[in-house]
Amino acid sequence: MDVMYGRALSSAFEGEGDDDEDWSENFRLVLGAIVTVPVPIDVGTLSHLLELDEDTVENTLGRIASLLYIADDQVRVVHKSFADFLTDPKRCTDPRFQIDQTVHNQRLSSCCLRALKDDLKSNMCSIAVTQLNSEVADLQQRIQKNIPGHLRYASRYWIDHLTSAPHTPELLTELDELLTRQLLNWLEVISVMNLVPVMTMELQELHVWLKSDPVSSAVSPTTTHLVHDVSRFIREFGVPIAMSAPHVRASAAPFCPAETTLYRTYAHQLDVEVIKGRDAGWSACIQTLEGHTGDVRSVAVTPDGLMVVTGSYDKTAKVWDARTGSLLQTLEGHIRDVNSVAVTPDRQTVVTGSEDETAK
C-alpha cells in the first residue's frame, strides 16, 4: 500500500519543478487539514479556514481525487490507511508529502479562533427572546443561511484542535481575545446547534490543556478564570441555554455571580440587571439534580464522570447527564423502594436493587 500511495502522489504532481514550493505547500495545507479534521469538510469551509481561494483548493484536490472520497461537496480521505501513511514519516519518506498533525492542529486552532473572534455576532439566527429553539420551525434553514460553514465548524471543533496543539504565545493570545470578546455569542451558536452537552465536556478538556502548559505563567489569569467560569456557567444554566439561545443574555448571564470574571467582562452587554438575590461567587455545589418524588437512597457515578444514576423511594432509578444535569432516562419496574444502584464502566448497563426483593 505504501508504494502505491507514494507512486500515486508522485504521479499526481508530475511535471512540477523541484524548485517550485507553492504546489507542495498547498498540498500540505489542504491535505493536512483534511487528514486532521475529525469530520468530512466541504471545500468552502476548507478554503475559508486556510485562507486559500477555492480554485487553489479544488485544483489541489483534483490532482489526488483517486485518493479522496468526495460527495455532496464533503471531502475526506478514501481510506484511513492513506491518512496513516501521510502522518508516519517512516512510511512516507518523501518530505514533500509528509503531514505533521501537530502543526496542522496548531494552524487550524488559529484559523478557528480568528474566525470566531471576527465573525460571531449576537443572535445570528434572529430568535425572539420569547421563543425556545424548538419553537423555531425553520431553525435549521436559519442556521445554514446565517451561520457560515466555517463558523459552524469553528464553533464545534476549535477546542479539539487547540487541545491537540502546543501552547504557543500566539494561540494563547488568540484564545484570550475570543474569551474576552465573543464568549456569549459563541454560547448562543452552540445553543442553536444543540451542542451544549458536547461543549461542556470540551471545556473541561480545555481547562486541563491550560493547566498542562509547561510555562504556566504564559497563560493569563483572565483566560484561566474565564474558562473556569464558562464551565460553571454552563453547568449552572445549561438547561435554559440549551433551550433558548437568546436566554444566554436574557436570563442566564444576568444571574452569573457578580464577582466572577465572566460577569465583570460581559455585564455591559446585558440589558437586564439583577439588583438582589445574586451570589458573589460560584457555589460549592456544582449541580443539583431534581426529579425524584421520594427520598434518594443511592447514587452511582461512572468512572469517566459522564453519567450519574440515582435510586429513590419513589420506586424509580434515574439516569442523568453529569455534564449538564439533564435527565436521560427514568427506569421503572420495581414495586417498592429502590435502595441501591450500580452502573458498568462503559455506561451500557444499570443494575438496581429494591425492597421488593428483586434486582433489575
Side-chain angles (χ1 to χ4, degrees), residues 113-125:
L113 289 169
R114 288 200 305 273
L116 294 170
K117 181 191 69 173
D118 294 340
D119 298 338
L120 282 173
K121 296 178 178 61
S122 176
N123 198 9
M124 296 187 73
C125 290

Side-chain angles (χ1 to χ4, degrees), residues 101-174:
Q101 285 186 292
T102 300
V103 171
H104 288 280
N105 273 308
Q106 182 177 341
R107 179 178 287 113
L108 287 166
S109 299
S110 182
C111 293
C112 288
L113 289 169
R114 288 200 305 273
L116 294 170
K117 181 191 69 173
D118 294 340
D119 298 338
L120 282 173
K121 296 178 178 61
S122 176
N123 198 9
M124 296 187 73
C125 290
S126 301
I127 300 174
V129 73
T130 56
Q131 285 184 301
L132 302 178
N133 295 342
S134 60
E135 295 173 339
V136 182
D138 63 340
L139 181 59
Q140 291 307 311
Q141 289 85 348
R142 293 192 194 189
I143 291 172
Q144 293 293 321
K145 178 181 178 181
N146 298 304
I147 306 177
H150 73 280
L151 208 51
R152 296 195 300 272
Y153 180 89
S155 294
R156 169 59 184 89
Y157 292 109
W158 68 273
I159 296 178
D160 290 78
H161 292 303
L162 187 59
T163 54
S164 299
H167 301 77
T168 67
E170 293 78 14
L171 282 181
L172 292 172
T173 297
E174 290 172 334

